[in-house]
Amino acid sequence: FGSSGRLNFRFALHPDLSPHLWRARDSPRGHGEARPAMSVRQLSSPSQASGYSGDYGGDGNTALANHTGGRTQRTKTDPLWRKYDAKANKSGQRGTIYWVGKSIMGEDGALKDERTKGANYHGEWGNNKKHGYGVQVFPSGEKYEGQWGNGLRDGEGTFWAPVGKAKKLRKVYVGGWKDDRRHGRGTCFFKNGEFFQGSWDQNKMHGQGTLRYENGDLYVGEWHDGQRSGKGTLNKANGDCYEGYWLADKREGSGSFFYSDSGKVFVGEWANDLPKSGIYTQASPNPEQAGGVPTTSVLPSLRLAMPTEVLEGALAVVRNGRKAFRANNTPVTRLFSDEELSSLQEAFAAAQRGDGLAGFVELQALCSQLGSDMEADHLQELLVTSGLAEQDSDLDAVGLAFDDFLRLIAVLLDEEASHESGDFNGDDYNWDDSNM
C-alpha cells in the first residue's frame, strides 16, 4: 500500500512466461505471495481494464509497460478548443449566415436602439472564406449571385442595386469577375439607360465592345482604360456616321464622316475630335435639293494646279502637329506587336544604365542597333517632337524608361515611313494648323 492508503501495483513481463502472459507483483495475497499470471486477453477492452484496476482503487488509466522498449503509451486526444474551432471553420455548403448591423450612435454619443442594416450570405465556403457558388446581400441592399474565390467575387456572376424608395433591385452587371472587379466579357446597364456589352479589365471597359448611349447613339469598336481608343464606328441617332480612329475618347487620326442631312462625306485627318484636313465630297443626292438648281450665271471653271500635293501637304501638317500627343497617349499594345515588344525589351535591357534608364548615348546606340544611325541633333529633335525633352534641355540629363523608349521608336518609325512614302512635311507650305 502507498502512503495514501491505496494499493499500488503494476504489470510486469515475467521472464519465464510467454510475452502474451502477464503477472502482478505486490499482489494483495500476502507478503511475497505471487498472484497467478493472467492473459492480456482478459483485459483486451478498456472497460475491462478500468474495472479490474478499479477493484483496487485505481483510476482506470494504469500504464502498461511496453515489452519492446519499456516506454509508456497513452491515447492522445485533441483539446476541446481545436474541436470547436474545426466546427466553426466554414467549408462546403452551408445554410444562410447573417451579419448583424452595427449599433447607431446618437449626437450625444450614446448608442441608440437602432442598428444599421446587416448582411447575409447563402452558398459554398472553402477554408472559412466564400468560395464556389453563393448569394450575398450587402448592407446597402445590393445583391450579388454567382461564383466566388477566396472571399472575392471571381467567375461568372450577376450584380443588382436597389433603386427608388421601394428599393427595388435593378440589374447592373452580368458577366465575368476577377478579384471583386468586373473582368472579362460582360454587360453593364447604367443608371441613365445606357448599356455596354463587351470586354472589361479591372472594372473598366477595355478591348472590343459596344456602347448604346442614352440619346440613341451607338459606338462599336475598341476601348482602352474605359475610353474609346483605337478603331471604331459611331452611328448617331440622326443618321450621321463616323468610322475611323479614336484616342482618349475623341476622334483622332484618319477617319470618314457621313452627314445624313446633306449626303456629303468627309474623308481625312481628325485632331482633338475635329476634322482638320481631307476631302469633302457629295456621296448621295442632297435631300434638300430635290429639284434642279436654277442657273443664274456662268462662272469660269476653277481647279487647283496640284490638288494631290496640296492635300498631302495639309495632312502632313496635321500629323506632325499631333505627333507628340498621339505618341504619348496611344496604348503601347497598339504601337507594337508582342514579338516586336519582346525584341525591343531585350535590346533595351542590354543597353540600359544601372538605374534602369537609357541616357542619350544609350539611345543613340539603340537606334543604331535597330538599323537607324542617329545624329545627335536628329535624336534631340525626335525627343522634343515626342514630348520627352525640352528644346534647350541638357542632353546628359536625358533618361528614358522602357515605355518612353517605345514611344520614341514609334515616332522614329512614323517619320521613316513618311519619308519612304514621299509624304510632304508641310514645311514647304506656310500653313498654320489653326487655319486647317
Side-chain angles (χ1 to χ4, degrees):
F1 288 85
S3 59
S4 62
R6 299 179 63 181
L7 176 62
N8 295 325
F9 69 94
R10 70 175 185 270
F11 293 108
L13 182 64
H14 195 281
D16 299 330
L17 298 177
S18 168
H20 301 290
L21 299 178
W22 301 77
R23 71 183 181 89
R25 292 179 178 177
D26 300 331
S27 67
R29 294 202 173 194
H31 300 286
E33 183 179 351
R35 180 182 177 91
M38 62 181 174
S39 171
V40 74
R41 295 184 180 90
Q42 292 176 283
L43 303 178
S44 58
S45 66
S47 60
Q48 290 175 329
S50 176
Y52 179 79
S53 59
D55 295 339
Y56 300 94
D59 57 1
N61 293 320
T62 304
L64 300 181
N66 189 330
H67 67 277
T68 58
R71 294 173 299 177
T72 59
Q73 292 182 332
R74 294 182 182 274
T75 303
K76 293 184 179 180
T77 58
D78 291 335
L80 290 178
W81 69 265
R82 192 183 301 275
K83 183 187 300 182
Y84 295 147
D85 182 69
K87 290 182 179 180
N89 189 25
K90 298 177 286 294
S91 182
Q93 183 68 36
R94 290 273 178 149
T96 304
I97 295 180
Y98 296 88
W99 288 269
V100 180
K102 297 181 180 179
S103 299
I104 299 177
M105 183 176 292
E107 297 180 356
D108 56 355
L111 294 177
K112 296 183 178 180
D113 294 334
E114 303 176 10
R115 287 181 175 270
T116 60
K117 291 185 178 180
N120 64 80
Y121 173 80
H122 179 87
E124 297 175 308
W125 295 78
N127 195 23
N128 218 28
K129 295 181 180 180
K130 289 171 280 192
H131 192 86
Y133 187 85
V135 181
Q136 169 85 58
V137 178
F138 299 91
S140 61
E142 298 171 334
K143 177 183 176 182
Y144 171 80
E145 180 177 357
Q147 297 291 327
W148 296 78
N150 294 322
L152 302 176
R153 290 170 288 189
D154 197 288
E156 295 294 320
T158 304
F159 180 76
W160 291 269
V163 293
K165 294 182 178 180
K167 300 298 181 181
K168 184 178 179 181
L169 291 178
R170 177 184 66 87
K171 187 179 292 185
V172 177
Y173 177 78
V174 181
W177 296 78
K178 183 179 181 181
D179 296 334
D180 228 27
R181 296 176 178 231
R182 286 169 283 193
H183 190 87
R185 296 287 300 178
T187 302
C188 184
F189 304 91
F190 299 97
K191 191 175 182 179
N192 58 1
E194 300 177 349
F195 73 89
F196 173 84
Q197 184 177 18
S199 297
W200 295 79
D201 183 49
Q202 297 299 313
N203 245 17
K204 294 182 179 180
M205 297 172 285
H206 191 91
Q208 194 73 23
T210 301
L211 177 62
R212 171 75 70 177
Y213 294 91
E214 183 182 8
N215 61 1
D217 294 352
L218 180 67
Y219 173 82
V220 181
E222 295 177 302
W223 297 77
H224 180 80
D225 202 24
Q227 296 181 326
R228 293 171 293 187
S229 184
K231 193 172 183 178
T233 301
L234 177 64
N235 295 291
K236 300 180 72 67
N238 62 0
D240 293 350
C241 178
Y242 170 81
E243 182 177 358
Y245 287 91
W246 300 73
L247 185 60
D249 218 34
K250 294 181 179 180
R251 289 166 287 193
E252 183 79 33
S254 60
S256 62
F257 193 97
F258 173 73
Y259 299 87
S260 61
D261 56 347
S262 63
K264 294 183 179 294
V265 174
F266 170 82
V267 180
E269 199 73 15
W270 293 70
N272 197 25
D273 218 29
L274 295 174
K276 287 294 183 177
S277 178
I279 301 175
Y280 196 58
T281 59
Q282 187 74 41
S284 60
N286 191 339
E288 296 181 358
Q289 296 179 353
V293 179
T295 301
T296 57
S297 61
V298 178
L299 296 176
S301 178
L302 297 176
R303 292 186 179 181
L304 282 174
M306 298 184 295
T308 303
E309 289 79 359
V310 171
L311 177 61
E312 290 178 349
L315 293 174
V317 170
V318 177
R319 290 167 181 164
N320 288 332
R322 301 293 290 178
K323 186 177 295 184
F325 174 80
R326 295 175 183 179
N328 291 325
N329 291 275
T330 302
V332 174
T333 53
R334 279 181 51 198
L335 295 175
F336 302 97
S337 65
D338 293 340
E339 185 178 352
E340 290 172 337
L341 285 174
S342 179
S343 300
L344 290 172
Q345 177 71 63
E346 292 180 3
F348 185 85
Q352 66 183 359
R353 301 181 312 207
D355 58 358
L357 303 178
F360 193 84
V361 176
E362 288 80 13
L363 292 175
Q364 277 187 301
L366 283 169
C367 292
S368 177
Q369 182 180 348
L370 296 175
S372 178
D373 293 332
M374 189 73 59
E375 298 292 337
D377 293 341
H378 188 196
L379 179 56
Q380 183 179 12
E381 181 183 349
L382 283 178
L383 289 170
V384 174
T385 303
S386 305
L388 301 173
E390 299 295 334
Q391 184 66 44
D392 299 327
S393 60
D394 184 9
L395 299 181
D396 294 333
V398 173
L400 300 187
F402 179 63
D403 284 353
D404 293 332
F405 166 71
L406 291 178
R407 301 187 187 284
L408 175 66
I409 296 302
V411 173
L412 174 61
L413 294 177
D414 181 72
E415 180 185 83
E416 292 180 350
S418 299
H419 289 165
E420 290 176 1
S421 61
D423 288 350
F424 284 71
N425 58 16
D427 294 338
D428 297 332
Y429 302 86
N430 295 322
W431 297 329
D432 190 278
D433 187 33
S434 61
N435 297 325
M436 300 302 296

Short mmCIF file of all heavy atoms in Angstrom, two decimals, residues 11-12 31 38 52 62 71 74-75 85 113 147 150 197 212 254 295 305 369 375 378 412 429:
data_model
loop_
_atom_site.label_atom_id
_atom_site.label_comp_id
_atom_site.label_asym_id
_atom_site.label_seq_id
_atom_site.Cartn_x
_atom_site.Cartn_y
_atom_site.Cartn_z
N PHE A 11 1.87 -4.06 -13.88
CA PHE A 11 2.04 -5.29 -14.64
C PHE A 11 3.46 -5.35 -15.15
O PHE A 11 3.98 -4.38 -15.69
CB PHE A 11 1.07 -5.33 -15.83
CG PHE A 11 -0.37 -5.44 -15.40
CD1 PHE A 11 -1.23 -4.35 -15.53
CD2 PHE A 11 -0.87 -6.62 -14.85
CE1 PHE A 11 -2.53 -4.46 -15.14
CE2 PHE A 11 -2.18 -6.70 -14.47
CZ PHE A 11 -3.02 -5.63 -14.61
N ALA A 12 4.09 -6.49 -15.00
CA ALA A 12 5.46 -6.66 -15.47
C ALA A 12 5.58 -7.97 -16.22
O ALA A 12 4.90 -8.94 -15.90
CB ALA A 12 6.45 -6.65 -14.30
N HIS A 31 2.51 -11.22 1.97
CA HIS A 31 3.89 -10.83 1.74
C HIS A 31 4.59 -11.88 0.92
O HIS A 31 4.73 -13.02 1.32
CB HIS A 31 4.59 -10.67 3.10
CG HIS A 31 3.94 -9.62 3.96
ND1 HIS A 31 4.06 -8.28 3.71
CD2 HIS A 31 3.15 -9.75 5.06
CE1 HIS A 31 3.39 -7.60 4.63
NE2 HIS A 31 2.83 -8.48 5.47
N MET A 38 -2.00 -13.94 -15.52
CA MET A 38 -3.24 -13.90 -16.31
C MET A 38 -2.90 -13.42 -17.73
O MET A 38 -1.91 -12.73 -17.95
CB MET A 38 -4.24 -12.94 -15.69
CG MET A 38 -3.78 -11.51 -15.61
SD MET A 38 -4.98 -10.45 -14.84
CE MET A 38 -4.05 -8.94 -14.78
N TYR A 52 -11.02 -3.71 -13.66
CA TYR A 52 -10.09 -4.53 -12.87
C TYR A 52 -9.28 -3.66 -11.93
O TYR A 52 -9.16 -3.94 -10.75
CB TYR A 52 -9.17 -5.29 -13.81
CG TYR A 52 -8.15 -6.15 -13.08
CD1 TYR A 52 -8.54 -7.38 -12.56
CD2 TYR A 52 -6.85 -5.70 -12.91
CE1 TYR A 52 -7.62 -8.17 -11.88
CE2 TYR A 52 -5.94 -6.48 -12.25
CZ TYR A 52 -6.32 -7.72 -11.72
OH TYR A 52 -5.41 -8.49 -11.06
N THR A 62 -4.18 3.02 -15.74
CA THR A 62 -2.95 2.34 -15.37
C THR A 62 -2.04 2.20 -16.58
O THR A 62 -2.47 1.84 -17.66
CB THR A 62 -3.27 0.94 -14.83
OG1 THR A 62 -4.16 1.08 -13.74
CG2 THR A 62 -2.00 0.25 -14.37
N ARG A 71 8.64 1.74 -22.82
CA ARG A 71 8.03 3.05 -22.82
C ARG A 71 6.53 2.95 -22.56
O ARG A 71 5.91 1.95 -22.87
CB ARG A 71 8.25 3.74 -24.18
CG ARG A 71 9.72 4.05 -24.45
CD ARG A 71 9.89 4.56 -25.85
NE ARG A 71 9.45 3.55 -26.84
CZ ARG A 71 9.43 3.77 -28.15
NH1 ARG A 71 9.80 4.95 -28.62
NH2 ARG A 71 9.03 2.82 -28.97
N ARG A 74 0.09 6.31 -24.28
CA ARG A 74 -1.15 6.95 -23.89
C ARG A 74 -1.91 7.37 -25.16
O ARG A 74 -1.32 7.74 -26.16
CB ARG A 74 -0.90 8.19 -23.03
CG ARG A 74 -0.26 7.87 -21.67
CD ARG A 74 -0.08 9.14 -20.87
NE ARG A 74 0.55 8.88 -19.60
CZ ARG A 74 -0.10 8.52 -18.50
NH1 ARG A 74 -1.41 8.36 -18.55
NH2 ARG A 74 0.55 8.30 -17.38
N THR A 75 -3.18 7.33 -25.10
CA THR A 75 -4.03 7.74 -26.21
C THR A 75 -4.12 9.27 -26.23
O THR A 75 -4.54 9.87 -25.24
CB THR A 75 -5.44 7.14 -26.08
OG1 THR A 75 -5.32 5.73 -26.01
CG2 THR A 75 -6.30 7.56 -27.26
N ASP A 85 -13.11 24.80 -32.85
CA ASP A 85 -12.64 25.66 -33.93
C ASP A 85 -12.85 25.00 -35.28
O ASP A 85 -13.19 25.66 -36.26
CB ASP A 85 -11.15 25.97 -33.73
CG ASP A 85 -10.62 26.91 -34.80
OD1 ASP A 85 -11.01 28.10 -34.78
OD2 ASP A 85 -9.81 26.47 -35.63
N ASP A 113 -31.20 52.52 -29.92
CA ASP A 113 -31.75 51.17 -30.02
C ASP A 113 -31.81 50.69 -31.46
O ASP A 113 -32.33 49.61 -31.74
CB ASP A 113 -33.16 51.12 -29.40
CG ASP A 113 -33.12 51.36 -27.90
OD1 ASP A 113 -32.07 51.08 -27.29
OD2 ASP A 113 -34.13 51.85 -27.36
N GLN A 147 -20.26 33.20 -58.81
CA GLN A 147 -19.07 32.49 -58.36
C GLN A 147 -18.22 33.37 -57.43
O GLN A 147 -18.13 34.58 -57.61
CB GLN A 147 -18.23 32.06 -59.56
CG GLN A 147 -18.93 31.08 -60.49
CD GLN A 147 -19.12 29.72 -59.85
OE1 GLN A 147 -18.31 29.28 -59.05
NE2 GLN A 147 -20.20 29.06 -60.21
N ASN A 150 -11.95 32.62 -52.79
CA ASN A 150 -11.18 33.14 -51.65
C ASN A 150 -11.79 34.42 -51.08
O ASN A 150 -11.10 35.39 -50.77
CB ASN A 150 -9.73 33.40 -52.05
CG ASN A 150 -8.99 32.12 -52.39
OD1 ASN A 150 -9.18 31.10 -51.74
ND2 ASN A 150 -8.16 32.16 -53.42
N GLN A 197 -21.78 46.35 -73.72
CA GLN A 197 -21.59 44.91 -73.87
C GLN A 197 -20.25 44.67 -74.53
O GLN A 197 -20.02 45.10 -75.66
CB GLN A 197 -22.72 44.29 -74.70
CG GLN A 197 -22.64 42.78 -74.81
CD GLN A 197 -23.82 42.20 -75.58
OE1 GLN A 197 -24.50 42.90 -76.30
NE2 GLN A 197 -24.07 40.92 -75.41
N ARG A 212 -24.35 51.58 -76.12
CA ARG A 212 -25.56 52.26 -76.56
C ARG A 212 -25.79 53.45 -75.63
O ARG A 212 -25.94 53.29 -74.42
CB ARG A 212 -26.75 51.32 -76.51
CG ARG A 212 -28.10 51.98 -76.73
CD ARG A 212 -28.36 52.35 -78.18
NE ARG A 212 -28.56 51.16 -78.99
CZ ARG A 212 -28.86 51.20 -80.29
NH1 ARG A 212 -28.97 52.38 -80.91
NH2 ARG A 212 -29.01 50.09 -80.97
N SER A 254 -6.94 59.25 -88.90
CA SER A 254 -7.71 59.19 -90.15
C SER A 254 -9.11 58.66 -89.89
O SER A 254 -9.31 57.75 -89.07
CB SER A 254 -6.99 58.29 -91.16
OG SER A 254 -6.85 56.98 -90.63
N THR A 295 -29.98 78.04 -113.05
CA THR A 295 -28.74 78.67 -113.48
C THR A 295 -28.96 80.17 -113.60
O THR A 295 -29.79 80.64 -114.38
CB THR A 295 -28.28 78.10 -114.83
OG1 THR A 295 -28.10 76.69 -114.68
CG2 THR A 295 -26.98 78.74 -115.28
N ALA A 305 -4.00 73.64 -109.12
CA ALA A 305 -2.92 73.23 -110.01
C ALA A 305 -2.34 71.89 -109.59
O ALA A 305 -2.04 71.05 -110.43
CB ALA A 305 -1.84 74.32 -110.04
N GLN A 369 21.46 50.13 -83.39
CA GLN A 369 21.25 48.68 -83.36
C GLN A 369 19.98 48.29 -84.10
O GLN A 369 19.90 47.21 -84.70
CB GLN A 369 21.17 48.22 -81.90
CG GLN A 369 21.00 46.71 -81.74
CD GLN A 369 20.94 46.30 -80.27
OE1 GLN A 369 21.23 47.11 -79.39
NE2 GLN A 369 20.56 45.06 -80.02
N GLU A 375 22.14 60.93 -85.70
CA GLU A 375 22.98 62.05 -85.29
C GLU A 375 22.39 62.66 -84.02
O GLU A 375 21.20 62.54 -83.74
CB GLU A 375 23.06 63.09 -86.40
CG GLU A 375 23.69 62.60 -87.69
CD GLU A 375 25.18 62.31 -87.50
OE1 GLU A 375 25.78 62.88 -86.56
OE2 GLU A 375 25.73 61.51 -88.29
N HIS A 378 19.55 65.15 -84.65
CA HIS A 378 18.32 64.49 -85.07
C HIS A 378 17.63 63.80 -83.90
O HIS A 378 16.41 63.86 -83.75
CB HIS A 378 18.62 63.49 -86.18
CG HIS A 378 17.38 62.91 -86.81
ND1 HIS A 378 17.41 61.77 -87.59
CD2 HIS A 378 16.09 63.30 -86.76
CE1 HIS A 378 16.18 61.50 -87.99
NE2 HIS A 378 15.36 62.41 -87.51
N LEU A 412 10.00 57.64 -84.45
CA LEU A 412 11.06 57.42 -85.45
C LEU A 412 10.55 56.59 -86.62
O LEU A 412 10.79 56.92 -87.79
CB LEU A 412 12.25 56.73 -84.78
CG LEU A 412 13.40 56.28 -85.70
CD1 LEU A 412 14.00 57.47 -86.41
CD2 LEU A 412 14.45 55.52 -84.91
N TYR A 429 5.00 74.67 -97.16
CA TYR A 429 3.79 75.46 -97.22
C TYR A 429 3.69 76.24 -95.91
O TYR A 429 3.82 75.68 -94.84
CB TYR A 429 2.55 74.57 -97.37
CG TYR A 429 2.60 73.69 -98.59
CD1 TYR A 429 3.23 72.45 -98.56
CD2 TYR A 429 2.03 74.12 -99.77
CE1 TYR A 429 3.29 71.65 -99.68
CE2 TYR A 429 2.09 73.31 -100.91
CZ TYR A 429 2.72 72.09 -100.86
OH TYR A 429 2.78 71.29 -101.97
#
